[in-house]
Amino acid sequence: MKGTHTPLNYHPEKLKRELKPFYIGADDKDINDMLKTLGLNSLDDLYAHISSDVKMTSVPMPKHLAYEELIGHVNDVANKNNIKTSFLGDGLPQYKVTDVVGPVCDIRGLTTAYTPYQPERSQGTLQTLWIYQSLVSQLTGFEAVNASLYDRSTCLYEAMNCALRLVKDSTTVVVANTLYPGDLEVIETHAKETEMKIVRAPINAQTGKLDIDALKRILNTTPQVAAVAFPQVNHFGNIESVDEIVDLCSNNNIKSIAVVDPMLLGRGGLKAPAKFGVRGQGADMVVAEGQHLAIGPNFGGPGLGIFGIRYNEQDKVSIRSTAGRYVGKTQDLKGRECKALILSTREQHIRREKATSNICSNQSFVATAAGASMLARGDEGFEATLKHSRALAEKAVETLTQFEGVELKFKGSAFFNEFTLKLPVNTSEFIHKASAAGLQVGVDVSNRHTEIAGENLLMLSFTDIHSEKDLDKLVSFFGSNFEKTKGGSPAPKIQSVMLRTDAPEIPRIDSKEIIAYYEKLGKQNLSPDDGIYPLGSCTMKYNPYINDYAASLPGFTNVHPQAPVEDIQGCLEILFEIQEQFKAITGLPGVVTQAVAGAQGELVGLKMFQAYHRDRGEGDQRNVIIIPRSAHGTNPATATMAGYQTKMVEGQLYGIYTVEALSNGEMNLAQIKEFLKTDGHRVAGVMVTNPNTAGIFETQFKEMSELIHAVGGLVYMDGANMNAIAGILDLNKLGVDAVHNNLHKTWTIPHGGGGPGDAIVGVSHRLLDFIPGVQVVKKDGKYDIVKPAKSCGSFHRHFGNFAHKIRAYTYIKALGADGVRKMSQVAVLSARYLHNRLSKSYPTLPAEAGSAPRMHEFILTLSPETFKKVEASGTPKTNTIARIGKLFLDFGFHAPTVAFPEQYGLMIEPTETYSKKELDQFSDVVETILKLINEHPEVLKTVPHFTPIDRVDEVLANKTPVLTEKITDHLPDIIPDRVDSERLRNSTAGDLCELILKAHQNQ
Ligand SMILES: Cc1ncc(COP(=O)(O)O)c(C=O)c1O
């Protein structure tokens, strides 16, 4: 591997947008023409209304790399990692990646689409998620599986919160101390400052399993327990007594949350969690990491948080208290069977502070890939993998324990394919010695429990990536360290009650058939490759192929996050450099790289705020967060999740203090000032989106920051709209203490049909000591990791969605100092150009913002006369905006963001990706839409007309949710498009209007 460059699997010169400088669609002539139309002289003039004391004049980063240089560079970095024969598992086991995953990851219609808000134009994504939900349901036995949550750790926290909601008057969750330590750290970080109490149930030092007697004592003596969370296979590899634990929970009327490894639930594997308990009643919730169902270790992410809950005759309601998105089967208005996001979980955060979770972007595409991969394996594939893994693990135990001083640590406890050895030497030294000999020998688990202190423990994992030869290599390494003096220990037998007896009946489908099927599904979505994808606030810009190429280099994908530091220098370089890149971009001195989405970045920010206030002895006093009403729903949802529940106590407000907008669209600073006069000492911070969700820059931001700092509070800036200001504004000068950068917006990682996203959080000097997770440092040319002095904890077991950091890093390298600025400038120019033209025919919002300079996006609405015409033709005003969104689908475009942040608004964000010609063509369409509505408002009753399905019956979908089907032989049917989107985009506006009218009349 060292020194080689992996060939590209695409032809950049054949792609319309791949080789454009900085991936910007407008050329110099386009830029000059647009500036001229706007009466501006230069790109800098776009920011003339913003005070120069908050601007940066240049971005302190190197010049961009040319395409060829970039290919070489990312290969060189990947080649700095050492890929060795590895026995690392520890909650992120390494299995073979099936041959369908690569091709499915290359389907742009699936990878680059947004969350399936518009079911009529998103059956592709919805169907892939449906398959995932159904197959995970078959594996686990759980009737309801969502698609999906971030990863196992945060998923466990969501499950624990769900238990608190379900068990009346409960406050406490008991967690097994045999769960992975990284997961325990994440849930405890989340629970700090909230009403959730966590009690750890101890291990039995002899068995290496949860101490059931101690658990009984805890349950007998602890009031208000909601649930027990426990692993099926624990962090020593031992299989827990799951039946006893679930029975204990049932008998105590509390919830049981089983944490499992989905791979081990295949045919011939372990018992499904829906069957746990002596009576087979099953656990109440299941939580798992599913990353390895789909992809390789990728230095720890993107992960896939699997969550399931019972949904059967005995319990149809618990599901409504859960977090995450569910795809449900429903019908369109013509009775065609189809899929849609259901249960108001469509976007948890729309319910703001009442949301069950703050999650917005999730790990959708990993779920898609996992579904395809499960079909490629089928029952036979799972069984073969499990048989091989188990057999090799049994042989390994027997062989390795023949060496002097090497013993199976927990001789009486059954394991499946991962086990813990006791060594006669220091484990850490042994691991480094092994690394020098070409082996990643296992994970050091010596210090997991005080009850088992002072022993040298090593955990090894065996899967289908290992051959007999790999085992021989391992044995030979042990042989070079220890004498073979004794008979080996046999692997303890697994009791039959712990094993699966039935089959999940997952069909094994030919890889070619799977790929062709997913390709067809990809065609049912839209991609920003095709043309403007005007979803405001979502920044649907071009996702360069080279980013995916870099992220898929084997030198990155095959790296386990727990490999010795000398083997992961390439990955650490990416993390170090991305820290530096975002310091330069934000102007802030610190960077957190753990958050896997914008909303998680918000939580990271608020948890750092809490740690800061606690450190200053003001933890209890700072109990208010100020948030504008126009904020994205994740802001209030995050504040609530962080522990700022909104309530009135003795006439005093706790939690979220809401700030209204002024008629020009900016926040009402006078209202904030008033509040600070009386309650400043109680303010923990503010959360303000800038530019705001109306596309307007908050010109008083700096003054606001100064006021907040003066009363001891902190400033969070929601950076979802960085695409307008990156490289132009210095956030340090603006007074920002924490800001998230959604990598899946400004920084070009694909949206994946809803995720995975990722977020880099910039932090001010006030918060440097409280940064969660680890920081990468460079010393004498080598990279290492350190933990900040007063770290507020951890939000990810490893380094966030690492593969996405490679994508963002590659993009920023392609931009360099000049490209970052130009990207923002042209994004703003494109939006302002469109706004200038469309505001001549459409009224805009906020109503009194008039011609106030818009940044990267703007909001259109209809005149009162048009609303009246539409109402008179039978479409109520409350439905009109959503229906116009559907009319965009008839023109081959995705809908703008409808009814957010203004109920009667269509928010349009063009980004810098498109040429002036494309912007003009899009404007023609938007104007034609208005003309059509004015002349034939009745068409809104039947929109959309050309998608595979008509409008979805959402009432039916939510009333009687159908969440899975048993997929045992063939794949669910695909309903074809009535007219292909590409054909629609290539038709003239006049032809389309005729086609739409005809289709309307035929309804
Ligand atoms: C303004 C704003 N804030 C926060 C978020 C949440 O980001 P994420 O989806 O990455 O969690 C979004 C996402 O659309 C957003 O537009």
Side-chain angles (χ1 to χ4, degrees):
M1 173 56 54
K2 276 247 177 294
T4 58
H5 285 186
T6 303
L8 296 184
N9 62 348
Y10 61 94
H11 298 283
E13 66 287 353
K14 291 193 183 154
L15 297 165
K16 186 172 168 187
R17 308 185 195 279
E18 186 70 11
L19 295 178
K20 291 248 162 126
F22 309 138
Y23 311 106
I24 291 174
D27 59 19
D28 288 349
K29 182 173 180 322
D30 283 352
I31 291 175
N32 286 333
D33 288 351
M34 288 194 274
L35 284 172
K36 209 160 144 201
T37 307
L38 296 171
L40 301 175
N41 293 320
S42 73
L43 288 169
D44 287 340
D45 288 354
L46 293 161
Y47 300 88
H49 62 299
I50 301 172
S51 163
S52 55
D53 66 351
V54 292
K55 288 183 184 162
M56 52 170 83
T57 42
S58 62
V59 189
M61 65 167 56
K63 194 175 168 294
H64 72 275
L65 294 183
Y67 209 80
E68 283 300 318
E69 285 178 295
L70 193 53
I71 295 170
H73 174 71
V74 291
N75 272 282
D76 291 346
V77 180
N79 288 336
K80 288 181 190 168
N81 292 319
N82 299 318
I83 311 298
K84 296 174 176 167
T85 307
S86 162
F87 299 93
L88 303 169
D90 199 31
L92 185 58
Q94 309 174 69
Y95 285 87
K96 277 187 186 154
V97 176
T98 63
D99 61 357
V100 296
V101 171
V104 168
C105 288
D106 288 339
I107 302 174
R108 301 279 290 185
L110 295 178
T111 58
T112 64
Y114 200 70
T115 303
Y117 290 139
Q118 300 284 344
E120 302 85 358
R121 208 2 103 220
S122 314
Q123 286 298 298
T125 294
L126 289 163
Q127 195 77 280
T128 68
L129 297 180
W130 172 262
I131 290 171
Y132 162 81
Q133 284 181 189
S134 298
L135 297 179
V136 175
S137 169
Q138 285 168 231
L139 268 185
T140 59
F142 272 66
E143 302 84 357
V145 173
N146 74 21
S148 60
L149 294 171
Y150 297 147
D151 53 16
R152 185 179 56 227
S153 326
T154 47
C155 193
L156 175 57
Y157 185 67
E158 297 285 3
M160 290 158 68
N161 257 326
C162 177
L164 289 187
R165 283 190 285 274
L166 291 174
V167 178
K168 210 164 163 257
D169 296 328
S170 61
T171 55
T172 306
V173 180
V174 179
V175 298
N177 216 4
T178 53
L179 287 161
Y180 292 105
D183 292 345
L184 290 169
E185 191 183 7
V186 170
I187 59 170
E188 285 175 350
T189 302
H190 278 71
K192 260 183 229 162
E193 320 272 349
T194 74
E195 286 167 5
M196 180 191 287
K197 293 195 191 90
I198 296 178
V199 173
R200 290 203 194 194
I203 193 168
N204 175 322
Q206 265 66 51
T207 61
K209 293 165 46 173
L210 179 64
D211 184 335
I212 300 282
D213 290 331
L215 176 63
K216 283 183 189 159
R217 280 195 297 277
I218 289 172
L219 293 181
N220 284 339
T221 53
T222 313
Q224 299 176 293
V225 173
V228 176
F230 62 95
Q232 179 174 32
V233 173
N234 71 24
H235 67 216
F236 286 128
N238 299 328
I239 304 172
E240 294 281 3
S241 307
V242 292
D243 292 338
E244 259 184 280
I245 302 169
V246 164
D247 285 349
L248 252 180
C249 292
S250 304
N251 297 341
N252 281 278
N253 285 322
I254 57 171
K255 302 291 171 191
S256 49
I257 304 171
V259 181
V260 305
D261 177 346
M263 192 65 92
L264 301 184
L265 302 178
R267 193 168 77 189
L270 296 177
K271 179 150 85 174
K275 296 267 173 71
F276 289 179
V278 172
R279 289 176 285 116
Q281 71 274 33
D284 296 302
M285 282 178 252
V286 64
V287 163
E289 179 54 64
Q291 178 177 337
H292 53 291
L293 283 182
I295 58 174
N298 285 278
F299 205 49
L304 169 61
I306 295 178
F307 174 83
I309 192 156
R310 305 320 296 259
Y311 177 62
N312 49 31
E313 284 316 312
Q314 290 82 51
D315 184 0
K316 290 245 179 235
V317 293
S318 293
I319 189 171
R320 294 184 189 264
S321 298
T322 63
R325 293 185 183 137
Y326 294 88
V327 173
K329 186 185 274 190
T330 183
Q331 288 181 354
D332 74 357
L333 298 178
K334 295 267 175 51
R336 293 184 194 91
E337 204 171 78
C338 58
K339 312 288 171 352
L341 292 179
I342 59 160
L343 281 175
S344 307
T345 51
R346 193 182 81 120
E347 284 294 302
Q348 302 281 334
H349 61 82
I350 279 175
R351 295 162 65 204
R352 302 176 77 85
E353 61 271 18
K354 295 196 180 61
T356 44
S357 155
N358 70 338
I359 292 188
C360 177
S361 294
N362 59 7
Q363 303 292 110
S364 183
F365 191 76
V366 189
T368 291
S373 200
M374 283 189 268
L375 292 170
R377 276 204 172 88
D379 273 358
E380 295 103 295
F382 273 100
E383 187 168 35
T385 291
L386 295 180
K387 243 190 192 158
H388 174 88
S389 309
R390 170 75 188 160
L392 218 54
E394 281 178 340
K395 193 166 170 196
V397 161
E398 230 176 309
T399 320
L400 297 176
T401 52
Q402 290 172 8
F403 291 103
E404 185 62 30
V406 178
E407 286 170 35
L408 181 63
K409 169 62 192 157
F410 304 104
K411 290 199 184 71
S413 297
F415 62 84
F416 194 83
N417 60 337
E418 196 169 20
F419 57 82
T420 298
L421 292 179
K422 192 169 146 189
L423 302 179
V425 293
N426 177 283
T427 308
S428 167
E429 284 166 19
F430 187 68
I431 285 172
H432 289 290
K433 204 166 169 193
S435 170
L439 281 175
Q440 287 161 0
V441 72
V443 172
D444 184 354
V445 291
S446 309
N447 298 316
R448 295 213 153 156
H449 294 275
T450 45
E451 297 93 325
I452 317 173
E455 294 187 26
N456 301 308
L457 303 181
L458 177 77
M459 183 164 66
L460 301 89
S461 160
F462 292 82
T463 72
D464 60 359
I465 62 166
H466 301 112
S467 62
E468 292 279 346
K469 256 197 183 151
D470 294 326
L471 180 55
D472 291 346
K473 202 167 158 189
L474 181 70
V475 173
S476 132
F477 175 69
F478 271 67
S480 63
N481 282 275
F482 315 114
E483 295 276 310
K484 210 179 231 186
T485 55
K486 55 187 171 85
S489 311
K493 206 171 156 352
I494 307 174
Q495 280 174 287
S496 57
V497 289
M498 292 177 171
L499 294 170
R500 169 156 221 146
T501 47
D502 58 346
E505 296 182 65
I506 295 178
R508 182 176 222 168
I509 297 189
D510 175 65
S511 297
K512 277 201 191 112
E513 194 186 325
I514 296 172
I515 295 162
Y517 179 84
Y518 278 73
E519 276 171 351
K520 265 193 207 157
L521 290 177
K523 294 215 167 71
Q524 303 222 310
N525 291 346
L526 287 171
S527 157
D529 288 356
D530 307 329
I532 293 181
Y533 200 121
L535 266 179
S537 199
C538 301
T539 314
M540 294 300 287
K541 62 200 260 184
Y542 181 62
N543 309 128
Y545 279 64
I546 194 169
N547 297 353
D548 288 345
Y549 162 80
S552 66
L553 292 172
F556 289 128
T557 57
N558 291 329
V559 184
H560 194 283
Q562 283 153 284
V565 71
E566 59 270 27
D567 290 339
I568 57 174
Q569 288 294 304
C571 290
L572 294 183
E573 181 172 333
I574 294 280
L575 289 174
F576 178 80
E577 288 297 332
I578 211 160
Q579 288 171 191
E580 297 304 305
Q581 287 175 336
F582 277 91
K583 283 181 203 169
I585 287 166
T586 58
L588 293 167
V591 163
V592 185
T593 56
Q594 270 196 327
V596 296
Q600 203 187 31
E602 294 166 20
L603 192 63
V604 165
L606 293 196
K607 287 284 162 193
M608 284 191 286
F609 285 13
Q610 289 170 335
Y612 168 88
H613 292 310
R614 216 183 304 133
D615 190 57
R616 290 158 54 101
E618 296 184 345
D620 292 337
Q621 169 192 328
R622 300 272 167 188
N623 43 40
V624 174
I625 288 284
I626 301 176
I627 304 179
R629 189 176 299 288
S630 64
H632 194 257
T634 50
N635 293 186
T638 299
T640 305
M641 193 168 173
Y644 298 101
Q645 265 92 8
T646 307
K647 55 190 172 203
M648 291 296 284
V649 181
E650 294 169 5
Q652 193 164 51
L653 175 86
Y654 288 77
I656 299 164
Y657 176 73
T658 304
V659 180
E660 303 302 331
L662 295 173
S663 54
N664 70 359
E666 292 197 39
M667 69 183 149
N668 185 345
L669 190 62
Q671 189 193 342
I672 296 181
K673 279 184 189 164
E674 270 313 295
F675 186 70
L676 295 186
K677 266 189 215 159
T678 51
D679 293 79
H681 61 290
R682 299 201 299 121
V683 170
V686 286
M687 295 181 90
V688 177
T689 305
N690 197 20
N692 67 26
T693 44
I696 289 173
F697 186 80
E698 297 283 0
T699 53
Q700 295 174 301
F701 196 97
K702 184 169 189 264
E703 190 183 343
M704 176 208 69
S705 300
E706 285 164 1
L707 290 168
I708 297 290
H709 288 146
V711 297
L714 295 166
V715 176
Y716 190 89
M717 191 183 106
D718 181 328
N721 298 332
M722 283 293 286
N723 211 53
I725 57 169
I728 311 287
L729 291 190
D730 184 327
L731 305 189
N732 202 32
K733 292 181 185 165
L734 271 176
V736 172
D737 291 301
V739 56
H740 69 259
N741 278 264
N742 311 59
L743 298 191
H744 45 298
K745 296 176 190 266
T746 311
W747 307 105
T748 67
I749 68 174
H751 274 85
D758 200 64
I760 302 284
V761 180
V763 305
S764 72
H765 64 94
R766 293 181 184 84
L767 297 178
L768 284 177
D769 282 349
F770 306 100
I771 284 180
V774 293
Q775 289 283 289
V776 179
V777 291
K778 192 174 180 183
K779 221 173 137 195
D780 304 328
K782 294 261 171 256
Y783 298 98
D784 206 351
I785 48 181
V786 293
K787 210 159 172 80
K790 300 171 187 170
S791 165
C792 71
S794 176
F795 290 83
H796 193 271
R797 282 200 306 137
H798 304 297
F799 308 96
N801 287 340
F802 179 75
H804 276 346
K805 296 186 210 305
I806 304 172
R807 289 181 171 89
Y809 169 80
T810 306
Y811 175 59
I812 295 169
K813 278 280 179 202
L815 296 190
D818 293 349
V820 170
R821 279 174 75 80
K822 192 155 178 193
M823 158 204 100
S824 301
Q825 289 167 330
V826 180
V828 173
L829 175 67
S830 304
R832 210 167 290 166
Y833 176 72
L834 272 190
H835 176 255
N836 178 62
R837 175 162 163 190
L838 294 174
S839 59
K840 294 190 173 97
S841 44
Y842 282 84
T844 58
L845 293 173
E848 287 173 51
S851 58
R854 301 306 201 273
M855 300 297 280
H856 60 299
E857 63 193 0
F858 57 90
I859 307 172
L860 301 179
T861 187
L862 300 180
S863 66
E865 298 74 51
T866 306
F867 270 125
K868 262 194 212 126
K869 265 189 219 168
V870 174
E871 275 210 290
S873 73
T875 301
K877 185 172 177 187
T878 44
N879 291 348
T880 301
I881 292 295
R883 294 286 171 85
I884 296 174
K886 307 282 180 210
L887 198 48
F888 275 77
L889 309 183
D890 276 353
F891 284 81
F893 286 94
H894 196 276
T897 295
V898 292
F900 173 81
E902 300 268 0
Q903 191 188 357
Y904 295 109
L906 291 154
M907 184 162 46
I908 293 181
E909 179 181 11
T911 80
E912 75 282 9
T913 297
Y914 305 97
S915 66
K916 177 170 174 295
K917 188 171 166 207
E918 288 173 296
L919 294 170
D920 286 335
Q921 283 167 343
F922 179 70
S923 300
D924 292 344
V925 166
V926 184
E927 284 169 353
T928 305
I929 284 176
L930 185 61
K931 193 159 169 273
L932 183 62
I933 305 166
N934 274 321
E935 289 170 8
H936 296 283
E938 69 279 6
V939 296
L940 290 181
K941 286 201 290 187
T942 49
V943 284
H945 301 94
F946 310 129
T947 44
I949 52 166
D950 283 276
R951 279 202 316 283
V952 168
D953 184 345
E954 300 212 6
V955 178
L956 174 82
N958 287 308
K959 217 160 138 193
T960 42
V962 181
L963 297 164
T964 56
E965 71 180 84
K966 194 150 184 192
I967 300 174
T968 54
D969 45 16
H970 69 285
L971 295 169
D973 293 340
I974 299 177
I975 312 169
D977 262 318
R978 283 172 284 182
V979 185
D980 185 63
S981 289
E982 197 178 337
R983 219 187 102 197
L984 294 172
R985 276 193 308 278
N986 290 334
S987 305
T988 65
D991 285 353
L992 272 182
C993 286
E994 245 174 63
L995 214 61
I996 291 168
L997 284 173
K998 215 185 266 166
H1000 169 73
Q1001 279 149 15
N1002 290 339
Q1003 297 270 324

